[in-house]
Amino acid sequence: TLVMPTLRYSLGPKSIGALLSWVATGNHLVVATHGEYYTEDKKDILLDALGISEINARVKGDYEIKHVNTAARKIPSVDVSGKGDLLQVDFDTLHRLTSKQATLWNVADSTGAYLVRVKHGNGRVTVMSDYGFMENYAIGKYDHAAFMARVLDVRPGGAVWLVYSEDMPSLPQWL
């Protein structure tokens, strides 16, 4: 499992193609969206290739609605198995996802998906609407650590690599 909560704007089509080829051989990639950094002129090549896009509440115009009385906001409980296994995860409600392809797993509420997992070749890609819940200040709150373990979905004997910068080491060295 390769976790890349980075912006990915330094990765061109060739690097994204190599990354998706690596996934297609049976590997797992975990990324987060960063819609506020992408524009009509600068697309997220990876998400475009997967048919996944972000709905940003600020752009959509419902920012005020989402942040009225945030102190009283209820932390959502998400069913991680489809069998009533509820975990509390403090997602950023400004960011949600849509997918053009069928999902293997998704975590959603009435406003949209916070996580989608799609098949790519023999592998899978998990896209999160944000990764704030897994940062140092938040991982110990609510059920964030347990949720992250579920997101990673590491197979027996598997490993997890966390890439926090695309240039150290270079992406081809990881693959």
Side-chain angles (χ1 to χ4, degrees):
T1 300
L2 177 63
V3 181
M4 290 183 66
T6 60
L7 291 173
R8 298 181 304 280
Y9 59 77
S10 66
L11 299 179
K14 186 175 180 180
S15 293
I16 294 296
L19 184 60
L20 289 173
S21 292
W22 175 82
V23 170
T25 63
N27 293 295
H28 183 204
L29 173 65
V30 178
V31 298
T33 60
H34 296 279
E36 61 271 19
Y37 295 100
Y38 294 98
T39 64
E40 286 299 315
D41 297 331
K42 184 157 183 64
K43 299 286 189 184
D44 186 325
I45 300 167
L46 175 66
L47 296 186
D48 284 353
L50 295 169
I52 297 171
S53 58
E54 177 186 16
I55 303 167
N56 186 312
R58 278 193 185 106
V59 173
K60 194 176 168 210
D62 58 358
Y63 175 78
E64 302 268 336
I65 295 167
K66 295 293 174 193
H67 280 78
V68 171
N69 201 8
T70 55
R73 178 173 78 86
K74 184 180 178 208
I75 304 301
S77 293
V78 297
D79 187 349
V80 296
S81 66
K83 300 175 186 172
D85 298 325
L86 298 178
L87 295 177
Q88 278 192 307
V89 182
D90 189 11
F91 291 107
D92 180 347
T93 57
L94 289 177
H95 305 278
R96 298 173 302 269
L97 304 168
T98 61
S99 177
K100 292 180 182 175
Q101 64 174 303
T103 60
L104 299 172
W105 180 44
N106 72 64
V107 174
D109 64 15
S110 61
T111 65
Y114 296 104
L115 176 147
V116 295
R117 178 172 290 156
V118 296
K119 185 172 179 53
H120 184 76
N122 291 323
R124 58 211 192 285
V125 178
T126 301
V127 180
M128 301 178 293
S129 61
D130 78 287
Y131 62 89
F133 71 88
M134 68 182 230
E135 292 181 328
N136 286 343
Y137 73 90
I139 195 70
K141 295 179 181 177
Y142 306 107
D143 297 318
H144 293 171
F147 181 71
M148 193 62 205
R150 175 66 171 93
V151 168
L152 294 175
D153 192 29
V154 179
R155 307 276 163 89
V160 176
W161 295 280
L162 176 62
V163 176
Y164 57 89
S165 174
E166 288 104 11
D167 61 353
M168 190 180 121
S170 71
L171 183 60
Q173 288 175 315
W174 281 102
L175 304 179

